[in-house]
């Protein structure tokens, strides 16, 4: 039997903090909760990212809820990507029930119910704050990676962005870039070749098909104006609590490309706009990405590399990213290595592959003289998890099987009426509800082409009238027919010649 005194001392020293911290719960030893061994996560290291994993029904959602509540209480805003739609209850007060009272007595933490300030956001047509971004904001490199283009295709995308920049044509939505793609292979082909070199129609055709694929997954709703300002995530209520921003993604599971597109654009935007924070006492913003496998399973290698790079660099901006998934093996090793806080709920071993995955998972945690990690992972109860974090010095804390505290807010979803009430009083819903469709590349090129055709037609009509007036009155019927054919052919060649010259201007 493990020495309880040694256990308490190890856990107390390992989870001691000088600054502010979040109390997750109390450690468990041989099935007994030890209230003296509380598990604390320092705010100072919450920008070192994290992982929350476990089988369905083991308590992951409630763990995220507890973390979000505690962060909000310390004035740290949260962005939660809610794919299952079961997180909205954080906006309403919880209800103390007998099992909650019993749990909190065991862990030695008093229970109090509370609600937290919430904003509801959407990538689709659901009610809430509409999230959008323009194609130009992505830039050619990121846009190419999202479409999973090869180097040649990415080069053409770069030419498109350069051409639009040179000619002051904003790329705002997908119809803009589709119009430019059609233009550079048809009416504007000579103009583009003269300035930027030849472009293969098969290459532009491939790019167009990739854009249509993205469009069919909802990209046409996401790309456009008004672009979302990431500063609107950094808000507090009148009591100083950080807003919990919930992106409702219940209709996005079958659109992984749209989800990964949004994710990458958001991370890139935050990284570009946020100033360096250095060694701050607490993070500026914490992101929770539920069902993280939807990003990683559908992402190309280049997209994965981009995500890994941003995860490595963004913590210096004071941003913490937490991935939620059933199996830790869903997260690529390069990303997994960057995650300081790990909360592992129970895994179930039904097959040989399951047992292999559990062994690999156990190997990702610090060794402990108090636990057989591989066995413990399968025997954890609901609302219990293995926890290891980073201390204020940046060293891993001892592994602790933990009974987690219960959420202070409602452990159920909001009703449609409650969701409507939140949206009705939201200033951001009103700010982003208007769809702006200002003149951009599509409209500019359409006008240019129409004007060129009109000018060419007028010129040829004038030429045809002059030719007709100079015809001899004694021309034979056969002669007139021949002249008509020649004039028609001349008109067509002349029209295209004039149109080409006009479009080059």
């Amino acid at each position: 039997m493990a020495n309880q005194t040694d256990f308490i001392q190890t856990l107390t020293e390992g989870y001691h903090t000088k600054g502010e911290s979040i109390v997750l719960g109390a450690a468990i030893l041989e099935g007994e909760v030890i209230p003296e061994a509380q598990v604390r996560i320092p705010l100072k290291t919450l920008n070192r990212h994290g992982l929350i994993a476990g089988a369905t029904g083991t308590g992951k959602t409630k763990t995220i809820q507890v973390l979000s509540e505690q962060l909000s209480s310390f004035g740290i805003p949260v962005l939660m990507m809610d794919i299952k739609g079961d997180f909205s209850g954080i906006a309403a007060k919880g209800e103390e029930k007998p099992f909650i009272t019993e749990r909190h007595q065991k862990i030695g933490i008093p229970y109090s119910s509370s609600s937290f300030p919430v904003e509801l956001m959407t990538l689709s047509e659901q009610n809430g704050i509409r999230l959008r971004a323009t194609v130009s904001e992505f830039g050619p490199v990121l846009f190419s990676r999202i479409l999973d283009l090869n180097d040649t295709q990415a080069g053409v995308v770069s030419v498109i962005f350069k051409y639009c920049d040179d000619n002051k044509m904003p790329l705002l939505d997908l119809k803009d870039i589709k119009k430019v793609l059609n233009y550079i292979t048809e009416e504007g082909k000579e103009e583009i070749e003269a300035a930027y070199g030849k472009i293969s129609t098969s290459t532009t055709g491939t790019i167009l098909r990739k854009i249509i694929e993205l469009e069919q997954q909802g990209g046409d709703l996401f790309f456009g104006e008004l672009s979302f300002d990431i500063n609107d995530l950094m808000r507090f209520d009148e009591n100083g609590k950080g807003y919990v921003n919930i992106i409702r993604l219940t209709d996005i599971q079958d659109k992984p490309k749209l989800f990964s597109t949004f994710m990458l654009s958001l991370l890139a935007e935050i990284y570009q706009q946020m100033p360096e924070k250095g060694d701050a006492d607490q993070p500026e913003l914490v992101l929770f990405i539920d069902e993280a496998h939807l990003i990683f399973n559908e992402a190309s290698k280049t997209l994965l590399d981009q995500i890994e790079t941003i995860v490595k660099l963004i913590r210096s901006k004071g941003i913490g990213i937490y991935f939620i998934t059933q199996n830790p093996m869903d997260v690529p090793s390069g990303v997994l290595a960057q995650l300081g806080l790990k909360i592992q709920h129970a895994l179930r071993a039904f097959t040989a592959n399951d047992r292999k995955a559990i062994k690999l998972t156990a190997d990702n945690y610090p060794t402990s003289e108090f636990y057989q990690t591989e066995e413990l992972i399968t025997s954890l109860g609901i609302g219990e998890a293995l926890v290891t974090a980073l201390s204020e010095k940046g060293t891993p804390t001892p592994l602790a099987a933990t009974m987690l505290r219960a959420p202070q807010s409602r452990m159920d979803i909001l009703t449609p009426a409650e969701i409507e009430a939140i949206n009705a009083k939201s200033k951001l819903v009103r700010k982003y509800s208007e769809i702006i469709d200002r003149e951009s590349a599509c409209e500019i090129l359409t006008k240019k082409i129409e004007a060129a055709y009109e000018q060419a037609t007028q010129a040829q009509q004038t030429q045809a009238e002059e030719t007709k007036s100079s015809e001899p009155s004694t021309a034979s019927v056969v002669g007139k027919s021949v002249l008509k054919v020649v004039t028609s052919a001349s008109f067509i060649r002349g029209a295209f010649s004039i149109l080409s010259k006009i479009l080059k201007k």
Side-chain angles (χ1 to χ4, degrees), residues 327 329 347-361 374 377-378:
N327 193 324
M329 299 300 105
L347 291 175
R348 306 305 180 204
F350 298 112
T351 66
N353 286 336
D354 290 340
R355 288 190 289 274
K356 287 179 183 177
I358 288 170
K359 186 178 187 311
L360 288 172
T361 299
E374 190 175 334
I377 287 176
T378 61

Side-chain angles (χ1 to χ4, degrees), residues 180-221:
V180 180
L181 274 167
N182 287 325
Y183 177 76
I184 66 176
T185 54
E186 295 178 9
E187 298 94 342
K189 184 175 181 180
E190 290 185 16
E191 176 190 356
I192 295 296
E193 286 184 358
Y196 305 98
K198 289 188 176 182
I199 294 175
S200 165
T201 53
S202 62
T203 299
T204 55
T206 301
I207 297 170
L208 187 59
R209 286 192 293 274
K210 298 261 190 178
I211 291 173
I212 291 171
E213 179 190 352
L214 178 61
E215 194 173 44
Q216 289 176 335
Q217 290 199 19
D220 55 333
L221 294 173

Side-chain angles (χ1 to χ4, degrees), residues 62-308:
K62 301 301 177 283
T63 299
I64 305 163
Q65 200 167 337
V66 166
L67 284 169
S68 298
E69 291 172 350
Q70 298 301 304
L71 289 165
S72 176
S73 296
F74 280 107
I76 301 170
V78 169
L79 177 62
M80 172 62 199
M81 298 183 191
D82 186 15
I83 288 183
K84 298 189 293 294
D86 52 6
F87 194 69
S88 60
I90 197 170
K93 276 190 173 185
E95 180 183 350
E96 185 169 359
K97 297 181 179 180
F99 75 91
I100 292 178
T101 304
E102 182 184 357
R103 174 175 288 257
H104 276 255
Q105 285 174 348
K106 286 182 179 179
I107 63 179
I109 301 172
Y111 179 81
S112 61
S113 62
S114 180
S115 60
F116 297 84
V118 162
E119 291 283 11
L120 300 172
M121 303 177 168
T122 178
L123 287 177
S124 60
E125 295 177 320
Q126 293 187 89
N127 291 333
I129 300 163
R130 290 290 300 275
L131 298 175
R132 300 185 190 89
T134 66
V135 174
S136 292
E137 287 170 339
F138 271 66
V141 175
L142 195 55
F143 193 75
S144 297
R145 288 182 176 177
I146 286 161
L147 297 179
D148 194 18
L149 303 180
N150 62 31
D151 290 344
T152 301
Q153 295 156 356
V156 172
V157 170
S158 295
V159 167
I160 290 172
F161 275 74
K162 180 71 167 65
Y163 173 72
C164 291
D165 284 344
D166 291 346
N167 291 274
K168 296 180 173 52
M169 294 189 296
L171 287 170
L172 302 181
D173 50 31
L174 293 183
K175 75 174 186 291
D176 286 330
I177 197 163
K178 286 166 63 180
K179 185 68 176 180
V180 180
L181 274 167
N182 287 325
Y183 177 76
I184 66 176
T185 54
E186 295 178 9
E187 298 94 342
K189 184 175 181 180
E190 290 185 16
E191 176 190 356
I192 295 296
E193 286 184 358
Y196 305 98
K198 289 188 176 182
I199 294 175
S200 165
T201 53
S202 62
T203 299
T204 55
T206 301
I207 297 170
L208 187 59
R209 286 192 293 274
K210 298 261 190 178
I211 291 173
I212 291 171
E213 179 190 352
L214 178 61
E215 194 173 44
Q216 289 176 335
Q217 290 199 19
D220 55 333
L221 294 173
F222 174 66
F223 286 100
E225 291 185 311
L226 182 65
S227 295
F228 185 75
D229 182 356
I230 59 110
N231 289 307
D232 283 332
L233 296 174
M234 318 289 183
R235 297 169 60 239
F236 315 92
D237 72 356
E238 62 278 5
N239 299 314
K241 289 182 177 179
Y243 264 90
V244 179
N245 304 284
I246 302 173
I247 305 179
R248 303 167 67 203
L249 298 169
T250 52
D251 57 346
I252 240 58
Q253 292 197 46
D254 59 341
K255 302 173 183 177
K257 191 171 285 290
L258 175 60
F259 182 44
S260 58
T261 296
F262 165 71
M263 257 298 308
L264 195 53
S265 70
L266 178 72
L267 293 177
E269 190 76 8
I270 290 173
Y271 177 72
Q272 290 168 8
Q273 291 196 28
M274 292 292 290
E276 291 285 337
K277 290 296 178 182
D279 195 19
D281 290 332
Q282 65 181 47
E284 295 292 306
L285 175 71
V286 172
L287 283 70
F288 291 97
I289 303 172
D290 197 8
E291 303 294 335
H293 65 275
L294 289 178
I295 299 175
F296 299 120
N297 289 355
E298 298 294 329
S300 63
K301 185 180 184 305
T302 52
L303 195 56
L304 287 175
D305 291 342
Q306 186 75 15
I307 292 172
E308 184 178 334

Side-chain angles (χ1 to χ4, degrees), residues 360-404:
L360 288 172
T361 299
D363 290 341
N364 283 320
Y365 288 87
T367 56
S368 172
E369 62 180 290
F370 304 106
Y371 302 120
Q372 295 294 324
T373 308
E374 190 175 334
E375 295 177 9
L376 188 57
I377 287 176
T378 61
S379 62
L380 292 166
I382 296 173
E384 297 176 358
L386 289 173
V387 177
T388 182
L390 293 178
S391 70
E392 289 174 323
K393 295 179 180 179
T395 57
T397 60
L399 187 64
T402 307
M403 177 172 281
L404 301 165

